[in-house]
């Protein structure tokens, strides 16, 4: 099969298409012929070496497609089933292995490419809005990068829960996307904290921040007393060490650095979140914006575009 194999950490140029051995399932695993693979900042962090990744290795964990082989002990999935997962072993490939317990059946009303586009970010948006901070009706929430794949999903889920959204974006084009998704107010990044406090008469109860270094201080300053900063990513770079006294001075603030793995710790929790996602997509309540589809061999270009913030919505690789 064809796959993207990384032999050293570095820039997008280390993403090299090559021939690789076909994967075989171990006990409790299935092999999936992928229809589409999701591209995420997590993949960028692994490529750079910020997150652990064995070398040589195939990046990527998200995708969807049809099962072509099942391993010993798998009883609830069969060859021919369409599944999606955010836990593939190396999904930048034509075929990949995943534990059956981490594979989610894709219903007939959801196309496989949309399932690949939504699962990792959709599960993340779900836990952020339903568990990390349970958005309540009339809550006003700050969402950074509101026109990105995560931002568009967060905005829609906040609206589904009856909340109001203040989004940050970097351009007029991205502002339109954020407003179309339901954002009530859209700001640029310059002096956003001051504007948020003006719009809310003192700050918001929660900030969803996947940008990191460049927005961190402003995010803290956007919170009302006892507010929560959910720092779920670091697209602009890691946040430097901070004095916890900053949280006290800001009004007894809370800071959390959540990860998806801790919010899908059981099969039941994974299925709850995934079934909500796919149900909203099938009913038309949740729209998935695919900003770009790239041939698998052009994974390097997808990473370049993602890191340069030339994209909106979700990026997919098509084997």
């Amino acid at each position: 099969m064809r796959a993207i194999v990384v032999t050293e950490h570095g820039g997008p140029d280390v993403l090299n298409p090559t021939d690789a051995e076909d994967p075989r399932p171990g006990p409790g695993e299935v092999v999936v012929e992928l229809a589409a693979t999701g591209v995420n900042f997590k993949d960028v962090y692994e490529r750079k070496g910020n997150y652990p990744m064995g070398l040589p290795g195939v990046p990527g964990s998200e995708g969807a497609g049809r099962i072509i082989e099942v391993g010993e002990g798998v009883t609830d999935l069969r060859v021919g089933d369409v599944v999606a997962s955010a836990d593939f072993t190396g999904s930048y490939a034509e075929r990949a292995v995943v534990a059956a317990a981490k594979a989610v059946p894709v219903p007939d009303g959801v196309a496989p490419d949309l399932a690949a586009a939504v699962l990792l970010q959709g599960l993340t948006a779900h836990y952020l809005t339903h568990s990390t901070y349970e958005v309540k009706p009339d809550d006003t929430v700050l969402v950074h990068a509101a026109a990105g794949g995560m931002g568009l999903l967060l905005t829609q889920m906040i609206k589904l829960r009856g909340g109001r959204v203040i989004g940050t974006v970097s351009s007029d084009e991205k502002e339109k996307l954020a407003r179309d998704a339901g954002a009530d107010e859209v700001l640029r990044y310059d002096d956003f904290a001051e504007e948020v406090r003006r719009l809310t008469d003192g700050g918001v109860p929660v900030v969803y921040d996947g940008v990191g270094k460049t927005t961190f201080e402003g995010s803290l300053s956007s919170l009302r007393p006892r507010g929560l900063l959910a720092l779920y990513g670091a697209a602009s770079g890691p946040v430097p060490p901070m004095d916890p006294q900053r949280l006290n001075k800001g009004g007894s603030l809370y800071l959390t650095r959540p990860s998806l793995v801790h919010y899908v710790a059981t099969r039941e929790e994974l299925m709850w979140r995934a079934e909500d996602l796919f149900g909203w997509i099938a009913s038309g309540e949740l729209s998935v914006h695919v900003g770009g589809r790239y041939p698998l061999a052009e994974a390097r270009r997808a990473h370049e575009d993602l890191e340069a913030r030339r994209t909106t919505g979700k990026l997919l690789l098509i084997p």
Side-chain angles (χ1 to χ4, degrees):
M1 69 171 185
R2 296 294 287 174
I4 303 297
V5 178
V6 174
T7 58
E8 61 180 335
H9 295 302
D13 58 310
V14 304
L15 298 172
N16 296 308
T18 188
D19 290 324
E21 290 188 13
D22 284 336
R24 298 300 308 276
E29 295 179 335
V30 298
V31 177
V32 176
E33 187 171 57
L34 293 163
T37 292
V39 178
N40 298 286
F41 264 103
K42 174 178 176 287
D43 310 338
V44 173
Y45 304 149
E46 289 176 342
R47 188 203 76 215
K48 290 181 174 180
N50 301 123
Y51 286 4
M53 175 184 175
L55 298 178
V58 177
S61 59
E62 183 182 36
R66 192 172 302 277
I67 293 175
I68 58 172
E69 190 174 358
V70 299
E72 181 183 352
V74 177
T75 58
D76 56 342
L77 296 174
R78 298 175 298 177
V79 170
D81 288 350
V82 178
V83 296
S85 182
D87 285 280
F88 280 101
T89 300
S91 63
Y92 281 29
E94 292 177 329
R95 291 175 283 282
V97 168
V98 65
K102 300 292 186 180
V104 177
V106 177
D108 291 340
V110 179
D113 62 334
L114 290 186
V118 77
L119 198 60
L120 190 147
Q121 292 180 334
L123 293 173
T124 301
H126 191 286
Y127 83 66
L128 287 170
T129 56
H130 288 66
S131 301
T132 302
Y133 177 88
E134 191 172 346
V135 176
K136 297 175 288 296
D138 299 323
D139 274 346
T140 298
V141 177
L142 176 59
V143 175
H144 284 307
M150 269 296 302
L152 292 171
L153 293 171
L154 279 167
T155 295
Q156 292 177 81
M157 288 188 202
I158 292 164
K159 300 302 290 185
L160 283 172
R161 294 187 66 85
R164 297 181 69 253
V165 175
I166 301 174
T168 57
V169 299
S170 60
S171 69
D172 291 344
E173 176 192 6
K174 292 183 177 183
E175 177 174 347
K176 183 179 186 306
L177 283 171
R179 289 193 183 278
D180 288 346
D184 300 276
E185 303 282 352
V186 182
L187 310 175
R188 299 300 185 267
Y189 290 99
D190 294 339
D191 301 319
F192 70 83
E194 181 179 341
E195 188 66 7
V196 167
R197 297 184 71 82
R198 183 189 69 80
L199 289 168
T200 58
D201 193 26
V204 295
V206 62
V207 178
Y208 295 124
D209 189 342
V211 177
K213 181 178 180 180
T214 60
T215 53
F216 181 74
E217 180 58 36
S219 293
L220 289 175
S221 298
S222 299
L223 290 168
R224 72 187 186 193
R226 292 163 53 182
L228 170 69
L229 171 52
L231 183 71
Y232 67 86
S236 68
V239 173
M242 62 166 286
D243 183 350
Q245 184 65 13
R246 171 67 180 87
L247 303 177
N248 179 30
K249 290 169 63 177
S252 297
L253 304 177
Y254 294 87
L255 169 64
T256 183
R257 180 56 176 91
S259 293
L260 176 60
V261 64
H262 303 125
Y263 285 89
V264 289
T266 66
R267 177 71 174 174
E268 291 73 23
E269 191 172 30
L270 170 63
M271 292 303 296
W272 164 47
R273 300 192 194 282
E275 286 172 359
D276 275 359
L277 280 178
F278 292 151
W280 291 330
I281 293 170
S283 68
E285 294 176 276
L286 186 69
S287 174
V288 182
H289 177 69
V290 177
R293 289 177 168 85
Y294 301 74
L296 176 64
E298 296 183 18
R300 177 188 305 184
R301 184 164 64 90
H303 275 226
E304 290 171 346
D305 290 346
L306 182 65
E307 290 185 271
R309 301 196 182 187
R310 292 192 287 262
T311 64
T312 58
K314 181 72 177 194
L315 304 186
L316 293 176
L317 300 179
I318 308 299

